[in-house]
Amino acid sequence: MLTTDTSTGKGPRQRQPWLWLLIAVWLATAVSGLRIVWAYDNTPGVLARAPQRWPAASALTRTMGEPALVVFAHPQCPCTRASLGELGEVLARARRPLKTFVVFLKPASFEAGWEKTGLWAAAAQLPGAVAVRDDGGAEAHAFGVETSGQVLLYDAAGKLRFNGGITGSRGHAGDNPGRAALVALIGETPAARDGASVFGCPLFAAGS
Amino acid sequence: MMTSRRATELFEQYQQDIYKRTDRLFAGLMAFQWIAGIIFALWVSPLAWDGSVSRTHIHVWAAVFVGGAICLFPALLGLFRAGRPSTRYTIAIAQMLMGALLIHLTGGRIETHFHVFGSLAFLAFYRDWRVLVPATVVVALDHMLRGFFWPQSVYGVLVPSNWRWVEHAAWVIFEDVFLVMSCQRAIVEMRERADRTATLEHEVRTRQQAENVASLTAAVGLALTRGTELRAMLQHCADALMAHIQGGAARIWTYTDAGKVLELQATAGVGIDSAPHARDIPLGLGVIGAAAEARKPLVTHHPNRDLPAEQAQWMQQQGLVAFAAYPLLLDSKLVGAIAIYSTYEFSSSALDAMAAVADGMALGVNRKRAERELERYTRDIESAHDTQRRNAEQLATVVDQLRVMQREAEAATRAKSDFLASMSHELRTPLNAIILYSELLQEVAADNGQPASVPDLRRIQSAANHLLELINGILDLSKIEAGKMTLSLETFEVRSMVEAMLDTVKPLLQKNGNTLTVNYGEGLGTMRADLMKTRQILLNLLSNAGKFTHGGTIRLDVDGTTATGRSWVTFTVTDTGVGMTADERQKIFDPFTQADVTTTRKYGGTGLGLAIVARFCALMGGEVAVESRPGEGSRFTVLLPRQVAEPVPDAMAAGV
């Protein structure tokens, strides 16, 4: 063959404004979707209207003269795994064992054992923690709790010292103000706050 | 220069290959991430609960729809617009967005953050550091915006520093630095590889071109020996060219000065028949005609710039990128042109080869034309030779016939002359007796007192004299024709000879009332000739003049002259008689011929006088000429050598 120089066939780049417009629309769509997810995850649940003193209606038995920690959890709520993770962090930092009740809701409509999920098993392994079944949400009602992941700390005198969540957002583990405050209160050091937003599934359906 | 350009092409080709390959890789990765996100969401957070009521968790929907929105568009770009900058930039952004989503779906696990760093490393597969820029910008913006609006979701604290995002971005940039260095290193290596490959290609190409040039030259050389006709030979040449120009086309024209047109002889190559230029191209028309007229080749790798729009458009349609037109020249003489189209640019050696091929074709065209001319000349010569041979045969036949006829004629002439000589002799004897006896009877009659008988006897004597004169003339002619007439040369005074002759002829001239004038030139002197025949010449001319002139003037001019290195004596007899026409002048020197048939009856005579004059002149090496016009008279000029040579027998016979 006589001819040798290969042509690359490259031509001048054609401007395609429609493509860039399409990319902009795509980017806006993706960012909007992410924003919805972020907004959902950062929307807190209903904070408990917990009694200032240990409720007499509660079946939970606290040791008199010792503080007690009560954590409410929906056994099927995926967000609560992060709350139990943070709870484990809190208990690990406690200088002495702390009486802890992890109360798992069991609606009456479900059969026995429904509450025995992975969360139950995880809670049972926490040091000093006791997993408790809450049939029909009696304990939740007694403590005025409506959101899974809700943490209540009563001191040795039975007085409420902390009311809130211990995650930064739904299902997100990591440092957060609620956990930090709880750790401080358990250590009987000054805390920046006595509560925080709670993130988790509602324990009760709306209107129930 | 060419190697450098090729290296750049190869480098760009490598880059493009990597871009496309990585785009497709990311297309698959995008799909994988999307599906993985959905599976993960279904596994970790399939349902959200409101007490005893459950519903699909928003993370599942986010994985499906937001993940789909993020992944599908760049995946499609990667599949259908691979290699474009916009595609890889979009993929870079999408990869970072997907990282943000996955981190979210995994509950912000720190492990999932490695997706960001892994994605940056993955993006470095492009070997294009610029794709790291939009990825890094997305990460920085994500941290900055979420730091403002949901700081807990990204930093785990409610009130972070406003510049916390810079710290996070800095770690990303930290990785970017290494990735950019890696990309640059890879580009350098890719450039080196391209240089090595281009150099190798150049060496291989140079070797192949040398082989191809030799092969092409040999192929065209072989083609030039094939085909009995010019067109067939050029078609072989075009086919040979095509065998060496893959995907191209070629045309060959011949040119002759007569028509000023390049005539198409041969075509080869796909699509060439739809070429915009005409089959026959007037010299100077179009790029091919112009190249032929200028006697200079035209080569271009830029049809759009150098060729007419129609031709450039046709080349583009055919996928042709290079064009070359060569005049076929033989010592600056145009004998044709070739046009070559190629799907590849011509190398310098290819152009040298085509120039050599053009020279070879010019020689081939010229050779074929010479062969054609030679064939035509050969045919003409053979035809002429045949004609000549036939003519020679016919001529030989005619010559043979003429020889036979000549021999027969000579035999007949000799027989006639012999007959005439003998007959004249036999006739003269009784005629002399009649003349003498009639003269004697006149004297007797006069003496006896019978004068009445004298006129009749005189008529008898006159008729006998005329008959004798006729017989003497015939005898002289027959002698001349028989080659028996001899010359009796002697030296005599010209003027004396003329004056003696005038004494004899004067009465005859004056009989018709004519006046005779004689003029002699100075220094006439003598001449050596046959006296009797010279006298006979003058007597015949003067008696003729007297015979055909009535009441006019007859003049005799005698003079000497020199011509052709010899000395001559001229005798000119001029009369004011009846004269002659041109046809009559043609015949008067033939024996027994007078001006016309009525002349003999009107003027008498034998018709032998001028014939004898002509033959006597010829015998003595002279000549006689006549000028005459009807009604104005005639002029006879006799030119005789002053020294007449002894005649040879053949010359005497030939002089008749």
Side-chain angles (χ1 to χ4, degrees):
Chain A
M1 193 174 72
L2 279 176
T3 49
T4 54
D5 295 333
T6 305
S7 170
T8 58
K10 285 172 63 179
R13 292 274 183 202
Q14 292 180 346
R15 295 194 173 278
Q16 294 173 314
W18 61 268
L19 180 64
W20 293 107
L21 182 64
L22 203 60
I23 290 172
V25 170
W26 161 78
L27 192 58
T29 304
V31 170
S32 299
L34 287 172
R35 187 180 177 283
I36 291 171
V37 176
W38 289 332
Y40 171 80
D41 285 352
N42 286 279
T43 301
V46 178
L47 194 63
R49 292 185 297 277
Q52 291 301 311
R53 309 292 296 185
W54 189 271
S58 173
L60 300 177
T61 306
R62 76 179 182 91
T63 303
M64 295 305 289
E66 290 186 6
L69 191 61
V70 185
V71 179
F72 290 86
H74 191 295
Q76 304 287 343
C77 175
C79 318
T80 305
R81 180 172 296 278
S83 296
L84 291 182
E86 294 305 308
L87 178 61
E89 187 75 18
V90 169
L91 294 177
R93 291 187 184 187
R95 284 180 292 181
R96 56 181 181 177
L98 178 63
K99 183 72 172 185
T100 303
F101 299 95
V102 182
V103 182
F104 285 92
L105 172 70
K106 180 197 171 291
S109 55
F110 292 99
E111 294 181 356
W114 174 81
E115 73 283 3
K116 300 289 180 62
T117 61
L119 289 177
W120 178 285
Q125 290 178 354
L126 292 174
V130 177
V132 178
R133 188 178 70 195
D134 183 14
D135 289 325
E139 290 298 329
H141 286 304
F143 283 93
V145 173
E146 297 198 24
T147 305
S148 178
Q150 177 71 55
V151 177
L152 299 174
L153 175 64
Y154 288 88
D155 61 12
K159 186 179 177 183
L160 180 65
R161 299 302 302 275
F162 181 83
N163 177 10
I166 53 174
T167 60
S169 60
R170 289 187 73 145
H172 281 233
D175 294 340
N176 63 87
R179 189 188 74 182
L182 182 60
V183 169
L185 289 170
I186 291 172
E188 296 180 347
T189 56
R193 55 177 64 205
D194 59 359
S197 297
V198 59
F199 296 95
C201 298
L203 292 175
F204 306 102
S208 63
Chain B
M1 178 64 184
M2 190 172 285
T3 305
S4 171
R5 192 171 64 181
R6 175 60 181 154
T8 302
E9 288 175 359
L10 283 171
F11 174 71
E12 292 173 350
Q13 188 180 329
Y14 294 158
Q15 275 192 317
Q16 198 64 18
D17 290 344
I18 288 176
Y19 293 156
K20 289 181 177 178
R21 197 165 55 240
T22 311
D23 279 342
R24 295 192 183 99
L25 202 63
F26 267 107
L29 181 63
M30 285 288 163
F32 172 76
Q33 289 176 138
W34 181 39
I35 294 168
I38 294 171
I39 293 172
F40 189 82
L42 288 171
W43 178 44
V44 174
S45 53
L47 298 171
W49 290 81
D50 283 350
S52 59
V53 179
S54 67
R55 66 180 189 282
T56 302
H57 199 285
I58 192 171
H59 282 182
V60 175
W61 298 124
V64 173
F65 294 108
V66 180
I70 291 172
C71 292
L72 286 182
F73 179 64
L76 291 173
L77 289 180
L79 287 176
F80 298 109
R81 289 178 61 82
R84 309 293 179 92
S86 57
T87 299
R88 54 182 178 273
Y89 294 149
T90 304
I91 284 174
I93 294 170
Q95 190 63 20
M96 293 301 118
L97 292 176
M98 197 62 196
L101 180 62
L102 288 175
I103 289 170
H104 227 79
L105 295 179
T106 59
R109 291 171 62 85
I110 192 68
E111 292 85 351
T112 318
H113 282 75
F114 287 108
H115 181 275
V116 173
F117 297 102
S119 296
L120 288 171
F122 209 171
L123 288 172
F125 280 19
Y126 279 115
R127 303 290 189 271
D128 180 7
W129 63 268
R130 288 167 297 190
V131 297
L132 300 173
V133 175
T136 304
V137 168
V138 168
V139 172
L141 279 176
D142 174 45
H143 282 72
M144 185 179 74
L145 294 174
R146 281 206 286 165
F148 286 138
F149 297 107
W150 305 288
Q152 285 177 299
S153 70
V154 63
Y155 304 127
V157 294
L158 282 174
V159 187
S161 163
N162 286 339
W163 299 103
R164 187 77 177 269
W165 67 274
V166 176
E167 179 190 346
H168 284 243
W171 283 110
V172 173
I173 292 172
F174 177 70
E175 185 189 1
D176 286 346
V177 169
F178 295 101
L179 294 176
V180 168
M181 290 171 64
S182 171
C183 288
Q184 292 298 91
R185 182 64 235 165
I187 286 171
V188 169
E189 290 174 354
M190 205 186 307
R191 171 73 72 179
E192 290 172 351
R193 180 184 157 210
D195 288 341
R196 284 195 303 272
T197 306
T199 303
L200 188 62
E201 278 185 356
H202 180 69
E203 291 172 0
V204 171
R205 190 165 58 241
T206 302
R207 191 164 58 247
Q208 286 178 339
Q209 282 172 354
E211 292 171 356
N212 284 329
V213 166
S215 173
L216 173 61
T217 308
V220 173
L222 180 63
L224 287 170
T225 65
R226 298 172 65 191
T228 54
E229 296 296 329
L230 175 64
R231 179 162 293 191
M233 180 195 74
L234 292 177
Q235 185 61 50
H236 284 303
C237 289
D239 293 338
L241 270 174
M242 276 306 89
H244 289 76
I245 303 173
Q246 295 178 353
R251 274 191 161 177
I252 304 174
W253 292 264
T254 56
Y255 175 78
T256 54
D257 289 329
K260 300 287 184 189
V261 169
L262 291 165
E263 297 177 0
L264 182 65
Q265 298 290 347
T267 292
V270 178
I272 186 64
D273 289 335
S274 62
H277 50 66
R279 294 174 59 82
D280 294 341
I281 302 172
L283 190 64
L285 189 67
V287 290
I288 297 165
E293 186 178 43
R295 270 68 165 171
K296 289 182 179 176
L298 170 67
V299 179
T300 178
H301 296 156
H302 306 282
N304 289 324
R305 187 189 67 189
D306 299 333
L307 299 180
E310 187 185 16
Q311 193 169 349
Q313 187 179 7
W314 173 79
M315 287 182 64
Q316 192 171 9
Q317 289 169 352
Q318 302 294 323
L320 301 165
V321 301
F323 169 78
Y326 283 86
L328 303 183
L329 299 175
L330 195 69
D331 295 334
S332 301
K333 182 187 176 186
L334 183 68
V335 298
I338 58 174
I340 302 165
Y341 300 90
S342 173
T343 53
Y344 299 90
E345 291 185 5
F346 297 118
S347 63
S348 59
S349 59
L351 295 175
D352 291 343
M354 284 191 288
V357 164
D359 290 343
M361 284 187 188
L363 286 171
V365 169
N366 193 56
R367 181 173 57 80
K368 276 295 173 192
R369 285 179 174 170
E371 286 176 0
R372 198 163 56 193
E373 284 295 305
L374 186 60
E375 286 174 4
R376 193 167 63 80
Y377 285 139
T378 303
R379 282 197 301 272
D380 290 347
I381 289 170
E382 287 175 351
S383 174
H385 185 260
D386 289 342
T387 304
Q388 197 175 24
R389 186 169 48 79
R390 284 194 298 273
N391 289 341
E393 289 172 356
Q394 291 174 352
L395 187 60
T397 304
V398 170
V399 168
D400 290 342
Q401 291 173 349
L402 284 175
R403 281 179 182 151
V404 172
M405 291 169 67
Q406 185 183 15
R407 281 195 294 271
E408 291 174 354
E410 286 173 353
T413 302
R414 277 194 299 273
K416 180 194 74 176
S417 297
D418 291 345
F419 171 74
L420 287 175
S422 59
M423 283 300 293
S424 297
H425 178 74
E426 293 301 324
L427 286 171
R428 249 191 326 192
T429 301
L431 273 176
N432 283 326
I434 292 169
I435 291 167
L436 289 174
Y437 278 110
S438 61
E439 188 176 349
L440 183 62
L441 285 173
Q442 287 178 55
E443 291 174 0
V444 171
D447 293 340
N448 293 337
Q450 295 175 320
S453 301
V454 173
D456 293 331
L457 291 171
R458 191 174 289 146
R459 288 190 190 92
I460 292 169
Q461 186 185 7
S462 175
N465 278 328
H466 178 76
L467 192 55
L468 181 60
E469 183 183 352
L470 179 63
I471 289 169
N472 283 337
I474 290 171
L475 190 59
D476 287 342
L477 273 177
S478 65
K479 278 183 178 176
I480 292 167
E481 291 176 358
K484 293 180 179 176
M485 180 62 76
T486 59
L487 292 176
S488 178
L489 298 179
E490 57 185 300
T491 302
F492 52 87
E493 286 282 344
V494 176
R495 181 163 184 159
S496 300
M497 180 273 293
V498 172
E499 286 176 348
M501 181 272 300
L502 287 177
D503 290 340
T504 305
V505 80
K506 263 183 187 173
L508 181 61
L509 298 179
Q510 292 169 349
K511 188 173 66 179
N512 288 338
N514 297 317
T515 303
L516 175 67
T517 307
V518 181
N519 298 311
Y520 298 103
E522 291 184 359
L524 274 175
T526 62
M527 65 182 293
R528 178 177 172 76
D530 189 318
L531 177 62
M532 293 308 295
K533 289 184 173 59
T534 305
R535 281 172 53 91
Q536 186 67 43
I537 289 169
L538 294 177
L539 278 171
N540 285 2
L541 290 177
L542 287 169
S543 64
N544 256 9
K547 195 184 301 177
F548 294 105
T549 305
H550 292 274
T553 301
I554 297 168
R555 195 179 75 202
L556 172 62
D557 295 294
V558 185
D559 204 350
T561 185
T562 302
T564 63
R566 295 179 67 187
S567 182
W568 302 82
V569 178
T570 58
F571 304 93
T572 305
V573 178
T574 307
D575 64 54
T576 56
V578 296
M580 291 173 285
T581 65
D583 289 340
E584 289 166 347
R585 286 201 305 273
Q586 295 287 328
K587 300 183 291 185
I588 58 171
F589 293 112
D590 296 336
F592 304 106
T593 301
Q594 289 186 324
D596 64 51
V597 291
T598 61
T599 304
T600 304
R601 290 195 298 273
K602 187 175 179 180
Y603 298 101
T606 62
L608 292 173
L610 289 176
I612 290 170
V613 165
R615 282 153 179 80
F616 280 180
C617 286
L619 267 177
M620 288 188 284
E623 60 183 20
V624 60
V626 60
E627 301 169 70
S628 182
R629 283 189 177 179
E632 295 183 6
S634 305
R635 174 185 292 163
F636 288 86
T637 301
V638 171
L639 191 66
L640 291 176
R642 192 175 287 275
Q643 295 293 328
V644 175
E646 289 290 345
V648 295
D650 287 346
M652 291 174 63
V656 182

